[in-house]
Amino acid sequence: MATITRRSFIEMAVALGATAAWGQPTAARSKVDWHERRDFYPEGVASGDPESDSVLLWTRRPPINGNVVSKLTVEIAEDESFRQVVGTAEAPISEASDWTCRVLAGGLKPSKVYWYRFTDLHGNGSRVGRTITAPTDDDTRTVRFVFISCQNANDGAQNAYRRMIFEDERAAEEDRLGFVLHLGDFIYEIVWYPEDRPQGMYDRRLRDIVRYEHGEKIGDFHIPTVVGDYRAIYRSYLHDPDLQDARARWPFVCMWDNHEFSWIGWQSMQQFGGVNRPAQTRRVAANQAFFEYQPARLYKPSGPSLDQFDPPRVVDAPITHFDEHGLGQEPNNLTAIHSLRGYRALRWGRNMELIITDQRSYRSEDPTYRAEAKAFTSDDFPGFMPQEVLDILDGGSAYNGGHPPATIKYGSTEIANFRKDQPPTTILGAEQKAWFLERLQKSNATWKIWGDTVATLDMRADPQNLPAGLTSAWPGAGYAGFDASTGAGDHSTAYVERGEIYDFVRDQGITGFATVAGDRHSFWAGLAAKGLPPKTFEPVGIAFVTGSISAPGIVEAFEHGFPKDHPLRPLFVGQGPGDSRPQPTMNLLLRHGARSSLEYVKSGDIQKARALSNPDLSPHLSFVDMGGHGYAVVRVTSIALEAEFVCIPRPIERSDRPDGGPLLYRSRHRAHLWRKGETPRLETQIVEGDPKFSI
Ligand SMILES: [Fe+2]
């Protein structure tokens, strides 16, 4: 990338919708009359998607008390006091892009910390941001980054960012983070106004963070309907001081998950109350706000505008015809989902390529969200769904070599297979999947890291091993997965697609395949395998999931919502004889099985509980914490990859401590690079604290 010309650089900036700032070979003292006025830049500054010679810079300068400006000066320097300025440019801002500003700074040196700031023509200056370029492709140095997901400013505090900043500021220069990978749910578009839910949400009080001017109220929450509403929710989140400081400290690499558009969103469809409805106009509005508020190298076909998204015109039209990959052929749907392309690959030196995919725009409908799927659930087994049912529903017409059953057995009843004439579930969609596999195959980086917003690791339990008489007989044939409300719907139940990807990795002899994911609001470390016992267990890579920054997890939800007198409650939130409050026994259930959860509740003895482990349940897992929050640090070298889970207490209120509050635990999960034909392995080390239910 070092040989890129100024002309091709400007063409690249134009395609990204950014103003270009070209680095000068000789640094000079700033000539800009900058006075810091953070009140003129209420959403702070940010940078994103660094390459070895360029990075995107971002801010927002709205009209303040009638003081309107139409352009900003941006400076990028090698020092914090701007005596060594290497690039300056003027960038337009306007109401059409909600006064946001994107600049692609190029001609930079690799693996280097830079400082940047914005100034208006009156000298009102933004805060100073810090960013870091990527190493060149042949650089063998260690790469460090954090991956995170799911921050909720409506009901939580962003203490995890404060901890991240605290530790990074105190780390040796060579141990600092290179970037932050945000795997979605940067915002939650669903907002509860405090007066609509006085009881709060689980353990949390609701904050009055936004009022949607054109919002729609559904039940007791509100959702955005137009671009102004989506912009408003981004702004309210960016007013969080911890998030704003993090964006000013590191380059972010952001990918949307579901909540950047809609809770149960797929393509340009929304689903509420079990009913799908077309939402092409909202899909475009969500894409526009993402484009405006996240500095990212996204392709937009709507035109080479420097400063505007230029939304395509669409109408909300019914989507009734789907192709053989489940892609809705309605023209407004296609226009809406193609109005911004989020999947992309970024490179950090010899050791790492990050391949980021979009799990929402092209996916087929999740069968477990279909009303017909309810027939395979039971109040006696909340959350559980037989794994063979999930398998048949996922496979659709391709199940059993193209001979799917007409009915599916559930307990003593036969239920119609509503999926037998539909294609297998896809989360990536055909076009993106082809791109993804090609990137995997062509990458010559030591580690191929798949940034998948949704988890790939199987989440299952063994209700077949429950003692007789505890509840009714388990209606499944063996293991249980989980229904849509609890677990299904990610890459762990897209068996056909996940199998296709893992077979490709195996058949092509691809090593160093690692997945980092979010969405589950829980920490997971394990091996990537398409099948678990009694099927063949053949890992082809390693996989991790990070706990949420702040959004509530399933343990918190179950503490409040799982019926207190339900015989299966101890499997999820059990209380041992010596415990003063419920414990996350769900971790034991997923890692060791139902007998372990029940033993813990009976004796309070974790050793005895682990001794009853079912070895066939989760040979792929080395760690699971359904109650944890925080972030995951990844260190990548030419010989090993290590993910460190930094777990904080439930972030109910903002910590006033400089370190963001105490830690619950810190665990490390390390894999040595395996050779072609070798099986990957993970080693776990608990560095701090005692996550005793998780191992
Ligand atoms: Fe989330």
Side-chain angles (χ1 to χ4, degrees):
M1 288 299 288
T3 54
I4 188 170
T5 63
R6 185 170 195 277
R7 184 198 168 101
S8 64
F9 170 75
I10 289 169
E11 283 167 2
M12 181 168 75
V14 166
L16 291 164
T19 297
W22 183 250
Q24 303 300 321
T26 48
R29 177 185 285 267
S30 171
K31 296 183 190 70
V32 176
D33 184 24
W34 169 90
H35 306 285
E36 187 175 287
R37 284 293 301 268
R38 293 194 185 198
D39 52 332
F40 280 75
Y41 301 82
E43 287 75 32
V45 297
S47 67
D49 283 16
E51 291 189 352
S52 60
D53 64 348
S54 65
V55 64
L56 276 158
L57 308 177
W58 180 94
T59 194
R60 178 171 182 268
R61 162 63 171 92
I64 304 279
N65 298 328
N67 183 332
V68 182
V69 296
S70 58
K71 64 182 179 190
L72 296 174
T73 299
V74 60
E75 295 172 281
I76 185 158
E78 292 180 349
D79 65 323
E80 203 173 353
S81 51
F82 290 79
R83 290 192 184 90
Q84 307 285 327
V85 174
V86 296
T88 305
E90 286 193 341
I93 53 170
S94 72
E95 191 174 9
S97 55
D98 201 25
W99 309 101
T100 59
C101 178
R102 276 157 304 287
V103 176
L104 183 63
L108 305 177
K109 296 171 189 156
S111 258
K112 187 165 171 55
V113 172
Y114 284 94
W115 307 85
Y116 61 95
R117 65 188 185 191
F118 298 83
T119 313
D120 70 19
L121 75 166
H122 309 296
N124 301 309
S126 72
R127 66 184 293 175
V128 171
R130 171 182 176 271
T131 193
I132 311 152
T133 50
T136 50
D137 291 4
D138 56 351
D139 191 321
T140 58
R141 80 182 70 196
T142 302
V143 181
R144 285 177 190 74
F145 69 98
V146 144
F147 69 98
I148 54 175
S149 72
C150 302
Q151 58 208 19
N152 193 322
N154 191 198
D155 63 16
Q158 320 315 320
N159 296 329
Y161 283 121
R162 186 56 49 198
R163 162 64 62 170
M164 212 185 284
I165 293 166
F166 181 86
E167 295 201 355
D168 200 53
E169 282 176 347
R170 280 151 188 81
E173 187 95 34
E174 67 275 13
D175 291 334
R176 289 183 176 168
L177 302 172
F179 68 101
V180 172
L181 172 62
H182 200 302
L183 290 165
D185 293 358
F186 190 96
I187 53 151
Y188 279 78
E189 95 294 1
I190 284 183
V191 175
W192 280 270
Y193 297 167
E195 68 274 18
D196 289 335
R197 201 181 162 95
Q199 74 273 31
M201 178 62 73
Y202 311 136
D203 276 1
R204 293 108 182 286
R205 72 183 165 84
L206 293 166
R207 285 85 163 154
D208 195 5
I209 57 164
V210 75
R211 299 277 158 163
Y212 290 132
E213 201 182 334
H214 299 281
E216 177 186 352
K217 190 171 184 188
I218 298 176
D220 62 355
F221 59 81
H222 302 257
I223 60 167
T225 66
V226 296
V227 68
D229 293 337
Y230 279 104
R231 287 165 169 170
I233 188 74
Y234 276 98
R235 289 199 300 271
S236 74
Y237 271 59
L238 292 175
H239 296 160
D240 180 274
D242 300 314
L243 171 58
Q244 201 176 109
D245 285 356
R247 290 233 300 180
R249 179 167 179 81
W250 300 286
F252 271 51
V253 175
C254 292
M255 186 58 211
W256 58 75
D257 198 34
N258 52 326
H259 283 289
E260 279 84 354
F261 163 50
S262 187
W263 177 21
I264 306 171
W266 58 286
Q267 299 180 32
S268 57
M269 207 87 87
Q270 292 184 324
Q271 193 191 103
F272 293 101
V275 179
N276 282 313
R277 56 184 192 183
Q280 288 88 339
T281 57
R282 296 177 188 188
R283 171 85 251 178
V284 170
N287 282 355
Q288 178 168 355
F290 189 95
F291 171 85
E292 290 169 348
Y293 279 84
Q294 300 287 23
R297 294 177 196 258
L298 308 179
Y299 173 73
K300 69 178 177 86
S302 57
S305 158
L306 284 174
D307 53 346
Q308 292 174 31
F309 179 70
D310 302 320
R313 279 182 189 283
V314 290
V315 296
D316 297 330
I319 304 167
T320 52
H321 177 63
F322 297 86
D323 73 4
E324 70 272 24
H325 306 290
L327 187 67
Q329 297 299 297
E330 194 283 318
N332 293 277
N333 179 51
L334 295 173
T335 300
I337 63 178
H338 291 134
S339 65
L340 195 60
R341 189 170 69 207
Y343 60 86
R344 60 203 193 271
L346 293 160
R347 182 74 187 252
W348 273 267
R350 185 89 198 84
N351 292 326
M352 180 176 141
E353 177 153 352
L354 175 62
I355 308 173
I356 301 163
T357 53
D358 173 351
Q359 280 59 243
R360 305 293 174 181
S361 302
Y362 319 107
R363 67 158 304 148
S364 53
E365 182 175 24
D366 185 337
T368 61
Y369 274 109
R370 291 270 296 268
E372 300 95 316
K374 281 243 173 333
F376 300 103
T377 62
S378 154
D379 288 344
D380 285 354
F381 296 90
F384 288 150
M385 201 179 237
Q387 200 175 350
E388 72 277 8
V389 173
L390 288 164
D391 210 4
I392 295 167
L393 296 183
D394 172 67
S397 60
Y399 184 79
N400 187 33
H403 301 285
T407 60
I408 306 171
K409 195 170 157 50
Y410 183 70
S412 56
T413 56
E414 290 285 339
I415 297 167
N417 177 8
F418 62 91
R419 288 273 297 142
K420 71 178 173 49
D421 299 319
Q422 294 162 356
T425 310
T426 177
I427 290 180
L428 297 178
E431 196 178 317
Q432 178 181 217
K433 186 156 50 190
W435 171 87
F436 174 63
L437 295 178
E438 193 188 337
R439 286 306 302 210
L440 266 183
Q441 187 201 19
K442 285 195 173 154
S443 179
N444 61 3
T446 311
W447 295 93
K448 276 68 71 175
I449 299 190
W450 180 14
D452 182 354
T453 59
V454 302
T456 55
L457 288 167
D458 281 88
M459 172 174 174
R460 69 174 188 171
D462 57 352
Q464 72 273 30
N465 291 337
L466 284 169
L470 184 65
T471 183
S472 61
W474 166 236
Y479 287 100
F482 288 84
D483 69 10
S485 68
T486 312
D490 58 23
H491 261 122
S492 74
T493 50
Y495 302 104
V496 172
E497 179 164 290
R498 190 183 65 174
E500 190 184 336
I501 293 165
Y502 290 179
D503 284 350
F504 183 86
V505 169
R506 180 198 58 200
D507 296 346
Q508 297 290 324
I510 294 168
T511 61
F513 173 58
T515 304
V516 295
D519 178 54
R520 263 192 200 168
H521 303 191
S522 48
F523 286 109
W524 297 65
L527 300 172
K530 71 169 180 176
L532 294 176
K535 293 182 178 167
T536 314
F537 175 57
E538 188 187 51
V540 299
I542 54 177
F544 305 96
V545 186
T546 185
S548 75
I549 287 277
S550 53
I554 198 85
V555 169
E556 185 179 343
F558 278 176
E559 282 176 20
H560 289 261
F562 208 103
K564 292 271 191 298
D565 55 353
H566 198 289
L568 296 196
R569 184 175 159 99
L571 299 182
F572 298 90
V573 279
Q575 204 163 331
D579 294 325
S580 57
R581 51 170 290 119
Q583 301 295 314
T585 47
M586 187 176 183
N587 300 342
L588 288 174
L589 174 70
L590 300 174
R591 177 82 178 83
H592 297 291
R595 290 184 188 125
S596 294
S597 285
L598 294 176
E599 173 59 36
Y600 178 79
V601 172
K602 192 172 94 192
S603 65
D605 186 330
I606 193 73
Q607 305 291 354
K608 269 181 160 175
R610 281 191 212 128
L612 293 177
S613 182
N614 169 3
D616 284 348
L617 171 68
S618 294
H620 62 308
L621 292 183
S622 41
F623 190 95
V624 56
D625 181 7
M626 298 302 288
H629 301 274
Y631 57 92
V633 183
V634 181
R635 298 180 186 89
V636 180
T637 72
S638 57
I639 55 164
L641 184 151
E642 180 184 270
E644 177 180 297
F645 296 160
V646 182
C647 180
I648 59 168
R650 207 167 278 176
I652 298 168
E653 294 294 342
R654 188 172 185 228
S655 167
D656 54 9
R657 288 170 37 161
D659 63 359
L663 287 192
L664 282 186
Y665 63 80
R666 189 192 301 271
S667 65
R668 289 191 185 138
H669 311 274
R670 185 181 170 86
H672 279 272
L673 183 67
W674 57 94
R675 277 187 292 253
K676 194 173 158 177
E678 286 181 346
T679 302
R681 282 173 28 131
L682 264 184
E683 287 162 26
T684 292
Q685 181 197 3
I686 307 301
V687 184
E688 260 183 271
D690 182 18
K692 63 181 181 180
F693 298 101
S694 297
I695 52 175

